């Protein structure tokens, strides 16, 4: 059976912080292991700054119904990779096929990251996401595969798995591809709690009701036929094209036509989003030419003829 004894060196070479957990070179399940891709999971445990890897013991030793190890590495709250195994692990089950990954034994086909967050009321941290992208790019480069070989468990599962929650897997693959190409694409995220980067009038309330929120809470307001926007400010490093993505919690009672305004090099452009669906993940508004400089760049407007709260949560810009 093949092993990936090179894993720790490859991760460290990519700038990923690594902790080796015991005899990782010899901790594995019996059976074939000839990986062609990387599979992302979430653990369903609630991590925090003070308890960054609550699922580590289970991932190493397994549980009564499934013998460990349960992944090649666990990614903790701070983005640290805890390397558990160089061989086959019980993480993927049967693969139904996804992209270039064929149907078959997922434990043979895939290297697994268990990202330690609960996936219901908690999304992965920026540190977890960035480290997982860097690690995935480095491992796929070592395997001689492209970014399409990075998948989420919900894409390959034959049993209805939902992990990893709150992640747009197409965006993940684009970020992995950019990393593999040697690009150092600038990206920045502004949340409604980002100090000095978000402004809104007192008409915008604060709520932590939805578990699909980005961060601790989000802002909401009733629609009105008047200009009362919530602005997100970015320090754009250069005049170029940028992918604009938004994050909001979805609810059947929210607004079906929420206006997002992008202040582009050629003037304001408005994109309408149905906030009743598609929440809890990054949703692309499109790619826009933006000027350099520190200024308000994206806004959520209350000016909607539809009923239901308009929501302002988080915005991400990425240079393309």
């Amino acid at each position: 059976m093949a092993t990936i004894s090179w894993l720790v060196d490859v991760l460290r070479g990519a700038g990923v912080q690594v902790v080796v957990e015991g005899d990782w070179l010899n901790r594995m399940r019996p059976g074939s292991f000839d990986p062609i891709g990387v599979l992302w999971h979430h653990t369903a445990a609630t991590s925090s700054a003070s308890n960054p890897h609550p699922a580590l013991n289970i991932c190493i030793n397994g549980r009564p119904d499934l013998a460990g190890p349960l992944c090649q590495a666990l990614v903790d709250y701070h983005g640290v990779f805890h390397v558990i195994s160089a061989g086959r692990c019980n993480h993927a089950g049967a693969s139904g096929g996804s992209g270039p990954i064929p149907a078959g034994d997922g434990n043979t086909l895939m290297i697994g990251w268990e990202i330690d967050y609960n996936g219901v009321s908690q999304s992965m941290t920026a540190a977890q996401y960035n480290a997982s992208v860097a690690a995935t790019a480095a491992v796929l480069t070592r395997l001689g595969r492209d970014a399409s070989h990075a998948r989420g468990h919900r894409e390959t599962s034959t049993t209805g798995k939902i992990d990893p929650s709150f992640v747009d897997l197409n965006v993940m693959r684009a970020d992995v591809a950019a990393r593999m190409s040697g690009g150092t694409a600038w990206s920045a995220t502004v949340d409604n709690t980002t100090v000095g980067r978000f402004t809104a009038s007192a008409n915008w309330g604060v709520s932590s009701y939805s578990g699909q929120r980005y961060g601790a809470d989000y802002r909401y307001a009733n629609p009105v036929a008047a200009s009362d926007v919530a602005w997100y400010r970015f320090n754009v490093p250069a005049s170029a094209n940028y992918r604009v993505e938004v994050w909001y919690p979805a609810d059947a009672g929210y607004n079906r036509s929420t206006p997002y305004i992008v202040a582009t090099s050629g003037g304001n452009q408005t994109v309408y989003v149905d906030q009743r669906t598609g929440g809890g993940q990054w949703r692309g508004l499109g790619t826009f030419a933006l000027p350099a400089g520190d200024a308000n760049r994206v806004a959520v407007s209350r000016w909607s003829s539809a009923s239901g709260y308009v929501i302002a949560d988080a915005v991400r810009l990425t240079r393309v």
Side-chain angles (χ1 to χ4, degrees), residues 1-5 7-8 19-29 33 59-60 68-74 82-90 111-113:
M1 179 175 64
T3 62
I4 52 171
S5 57
L7 179 59
V8 166
V19 172
V20 173
E21 298 293 342
D23 189 13
W24 72 283
L25 288 169
N26 295 302
R27 182 190 293 123
M28 63 192 73
R29 301 306 307 158
F33 183 53
C59 286
I60 293 173
L70 303 186
C71 58
Q72 279 72 30
L74 175 139
H82 296 256
V83 176
I84 292 169
S85 175
R88 178 185 173 93
C89 298
N90 282 333
I111 296 166
W113 310 148

Coordinates of all heavy atoms in Angstrom, one line a residue, residues 1-5 7-8 19-29 33 59-60 68-74 82-90 111-113:
M1 N 0.8 -1.2 0.0 CA 0.0 0.0 0.0 C 0.9 1.2 0.0 O 1.8 1.3 0.8 CB -0.9 0.0 1.2 CG -1.8 1.2 1.4 SD -2.9 1.2 2.7 CE -1.8 1.2 4.1
A2 N 0.5 2.2 -0.8 CA 1.3 3.4 -0.9 C 1.0 4.3 0.3 O 0.0 4.2 1.0 CB 0.9 4.2 -2.2
T3 N 2.0 5.1 0.6 CA 1.8 6.1 1.6 C 2.3 7.5 1.1 O 3.0 7.6 0.1 CB 2.7 5.8 2.9 OG1 4.0 5.8 2.6 CG2 2.2 4.5 3.5
I4 N 1.9 8.5 1.8 CA 2.3 9.9 1.4 C 3.3 10.4 2.5 O 3.0 11.4 3.2 CB 1.1 10.8 1.1 CG1 0.1 10.8 2.3 CG2 0.4 10.4 -0.1 CD1 -1.0 11.8 2.2
S5 N 4.4 9.8 2.6 CA 5.4 10.2 3.6 C 5.9 11.6 3.4 O 6.5 12.1 4.3 CB 6.5 9.2 3.6 OG 7.1 9.1 2.4
L7 N 4.1 14.2 3.0 CA 3.0 15.2 3.3 C 3.5 16.3 4.2 O 3.3 17.5 3.9 CB 1.8 14.5 4.0 CG 0.7 15.4 4.4 CD1 0.1 16.1 3.2 CD2 -0.4 14.6 5.1
V8 N 4.2 16.0 5.3 CA 4.6 17.1 6.2 C 5.6 18.1 5.5 O 5.4 19.3 5.7 CB 5.3 16.5 7.5 CG1 6.0 17.5 8.3 CG2 4.3 15.8 8.4
V19 N 1.6 20.4 13.0 CA 1.9 19.7 14.2 C 1.8 18.2 13.9 O 0.7 17.8 13.3 CB 0.9 20.0 15.4 CG1 1.1 19.1 16.5 CG2 1.1 21.5 15.8
V20 N 2.8 17.4 14.1 CA 2.8 16.0 13.8 C 2.2 15.3 15.0 O 2.7 15.4 16.2 CB 4.2 15.5 13.5 CG1 4.2 14.0 13.4 CG2 4.7 16.1 12.2
E21 N 1.2 14.4 14.8 CA 0.5 13.7 15.9 C 1.0 12.3 16.0 O 0.5 11.4 15.3 CB -1.0 13.8 15.7 CG -1.6 15.2 15.7 CD -1.5 15.8 17.1 OE1 -1.3 15.1 18.1 OE2 -1.7 17.1 17.2
G22 N 2.0 12.0 16.8 CA 2.5 10.7 17.1 C 3.0 10.0 15.9 O 3.7 10.6 15.0
D23 N 2.8 8.7 15.8 CA 3.5 7.9 14.8 C 2.6 7.9 13.5 O 2.0 6.9 13.0 CB 3.6 6.4 15.2 CG 4.4 5.6 14.3 OD1 5.1 6.1 13.4 OD2 4.4 4.3 14.5
W24 N 2.6 9.1 12.9 CA 1.7 9.3 11.7 C 2.1 8.5 10.5 O 1.2 8.2 9.7 CB 1.6 10.8 11.4 CG 2.9 11.3 10.8 CD1 4.1 11.6 11.4 CD2 3.1 11.6 9.4 NE1 5.0 12.1 10.5 CE2 4.5 12.1 9.3 CE3 2.3 11.5 8.2 CZ2 5.0 12.5 8.0 CZ3 2.9 11.9 7.0 CH2 4.2 12.4 6.9
L25 N 3.4 8.2 10.4 CA 3.8 7.4 9.2 C 3.3 6.0 9.2 O 3.2 5.4 8.2 CB 5.4 7.4 9.2 CG 6.0 8.7 8.8 CD1 7.5 8.7 9.1 CD2 5.7 9.1 7.4
N26 N 3.0 5.5 10.4 CA 2.5 4.1 10.5 C 1.1 3.9 11.0 O 0.6 2.8 11.1 CB 3.4 3.3 11.4 CG 4.8 3.2 10.9 OD1 5.1 2.7 9.8 ND2 5.8 3.7 11.7
R27 N 0.4 5.0 11.1 CA -1.0 5.0 11.6 C -1.9 5.1 10.3 O -2.0 6.1 9.6 CB -1.3 6.2 12.5 CG -2.8 6.2 13.0 CD -3.1 7.5 13.7 NE -2.3 7.7 15.0 CZ -1.5 8.7 15.2 NH1 -1.4 9.7 14.3 NH2 -0.9 8.8 16.4
M28 N -2.6 4.0 10.0 CA -3.4 3.9 8.8 C -4.3 2.7 8.8 O -4.2 1.8 9.7 CB -2.5 3.9 7.6 CG -1.7 2.6 7.5 SD -0.4 2.8 6.2 CE 0.8 3.9 6.9
R29 N -5.3 2.7 7.9 CA -6.2 1.6 7.8 C -5.7 0.6 6.7 O -4.9 1.0 5.8 CB -7.6 2.1 7.3 CG -8.3 3.0 8.3 CD -8.4 2.5 9.7 NE -9.0 1.2 9.8 CZ -8.8 0.4 10.8 NH1 -8.1 0.7 11.8 NH2 -9.4 -0.8 10.7
F33 N -4.4 2.5 -1.2 CA -4.4 4.0 -1.1 C -3.5 4.5 -2.2 O -2.3 4.4 -2.2 CB -3.8 4.4 0.3 CG -3.8 5.8 0.6 CD1 -4.9 6.6 0.4 CD2 -2.6 6.5 1.0 CE1 -4.9 8.0 0.7 CE2 -2.6 7.8 1.2 CZ -3.7 8.6 1.1
C59 N -10.6 12.0 15.5 CA -10.0 11.8 14.2 C -8.8 10.9 14.2 O -8.5 10.2 13.2 CB -9.6 13.2 13.6 SG -11.0 14.2 13.0
I60 N -8.1 10.8 15.3 CA -7.0 9.9 15.5 C -7.4 8.5 15.8 O -7.0 7.5 15.1 CB -6.0 10.4 16.6 CG1 -5.3 11.7 16.2 CG2 -4.9 9.3 16.8 CD1 -4.5 12.3 17.3
G68 N -10.5 4.6 13.6 CA -9.6 5.6 13.1 C -8.3 5.0 12.4 O -8.2 3.8 12.4
P69 N -7.5 5.9 11.8 CA -7.7 7.3 11.7 C -8.8 7.7 10.7 O -9.1 7.0 9.7 CB -6.3 7.8 11.2 CG -5.8 6.6 10.4 CD -6.3 5.4 11.1
L70 N -9.4 8.9 10.9 CA -10.5 9.4 10.1 C -10.1 10.5 9.1 O -11.0 11.0 8.5 CB -11.6 9.9 11.1 CG -12.1 8.9 12.1 CD1 -13.3 9.5 12.8 CD2 -12.5 7.6 11.4
C71 N -8.9 10.8 9.0 CA -8.4 11.8 8.0 C -6.9 11.8 8.0 O -6.2 11.3 9.0 CB -8.9 13.2 8.3 SG -8.4 13.8 9.9
Q72 N -6.3 12.3 7.0 CA -4.9 12.5 7.0 C -4.4 13.7 7.8 O -3.3 13.7 8.4 CB -4.4 12.7 5.5 CG -4.2 11.4 4.7 CD -5.5 10.7 4.3 OE1 -6.5 11.4 4.1 NE2 -5.5 9.4 4.2
A73 N -5.3 14.7 7.9 CA -4.9 15.9 8.7 C -6.2 16.5 9.2 O -7.2 16.6 8.5 CB -4.1 16.9 8.0
L74 N -6.2 17.1 10.4 CA -7.2 17.9 11.0 C -6.7 19.3 11.0 O -5.6 19.6 11.3 CB -7.6 17.5 12.4 CG -8.6 18.4 13.1 CD1 -9.6 17.5 13.9 CD2 -7.9 19.4 14.1
H82 N -2.9 19.4 11.9 CA -2.4 18.3 12.7 C -2.4 17.1 11.9 O -3.4 16.5 11.5 CB -3.4 18.2 13.9 CG -3.5 19.3 14.8 ND1 -2.8 19.4 16.0 CD2 -4.0 20.6 14.7 CE1 -3.0 20.5 16.6 NE2 -3.8 21.3 15.8
V83 N -1.2 16.7 11.5 CA -1.0 15.6 10.6 C -1.1 14.3 11.4 O -0.4 14.0 12.3 CB 0.3 15.7 9.9 CG1 0.6 14.4 9.0 CG2 0.4 16.9 9.0
I84 N -2.1 13.4 10.9 CA -2.4 12.2 11.6 C -2.0 10.9 11.0 O -1.6 10.0 11.6 CB -4.0 12.2 11.8 CG1 -4.4 13.3 12.7 CG2 -4.5 10.8 12.2 CD1 -5.9 13.6 12.7
S85 N -2.0 10.9 9.6 CA -1.7 9.7 8.9 C -1.1 9.9 7.5 O -1.4 10.9 6.9 CB -3.0 8.9 8.7 OG -2.8 7.8 7.9
A86 N -0.2 9.0 7.2 CA 0.4 9.1 5.8 C -0.2 8.0 4.9 O 0.3 7.9 3.8 CB 1.9 8.8 6.0
G87 N -1.2 7.3 5.4 CA -1.8 6.3 4.6 C -3.3 6.4 4.5 O -3.9 7.4 4.8
R88 N -3.9 5.3 4.2 CA -5.4 5.2 4.0 C -6.1 5.5 5.3 O -5.7 5.1 6.4 CB -5.7 3.8 3.6 CG -7.2 3.5 3.4 CD -7.5 2.1 3.0 NE -8.9 1.7 3.0 CZ -9.6 1.8 1.9 NH1 -9.1 2.1 0.8 NH2 -10.9 1.5 2.0
C89 N -7.2 6.3 5.2 CA -8.0 6.7 6.4 C -9.5 6.5 6.1 O -9.9 6.5 4.9 CB -7.8 8.1 6.8 SG -6.1 8.5 7.3
N90 N -10.3 6.3 7.1 CA -11.7 6.2 7.0 C -12.4 7.6 7.0 O -12.9 8.0 8.0 CB -12.3 5.4 8.1 CG -12.1 3.9 7.9 OD1 -12.0 3.4 6.7 ND2 -12.0 3.1 9.0
I111 N -7.2 12.1 -0.4 CA -6.6 12.6 0.9 C -7.6 13.5 1.5 O -8.1 14.4 0.9 CB -5.3 13.3 0.6 CG1 -4.2 12.4 -0.1 CG2 -4.7 14.0 1.8 CD1 -3.0 13.1 -0.7
G112 N -7.8 13.3 2.9 CA -8.8 14.1 3.5 C -8.4 15.1 4.6 O -7.5 14.7 5.4
W113 N -8.9 16.3 4.5 CA -8.8 17.3 5.6 C -10.1 17.3 6.3 O -11.1 17.6 5.8 CB -8.5 18.7 5.0 CG -7.5 18.9 4.0 CD1 -7.5 19.9 3.0 CD2 -6.2 18.3 3.8 NE1 -6.4 19.9 2.3 CE2 -5.5 18.9 2.7 CE3 -5.5 17.2 4.5 CZ2 -4.3 18.5 2.3 CZ3 -4.3 16.9 4.0 CH2 -3.7 17.5 3.0

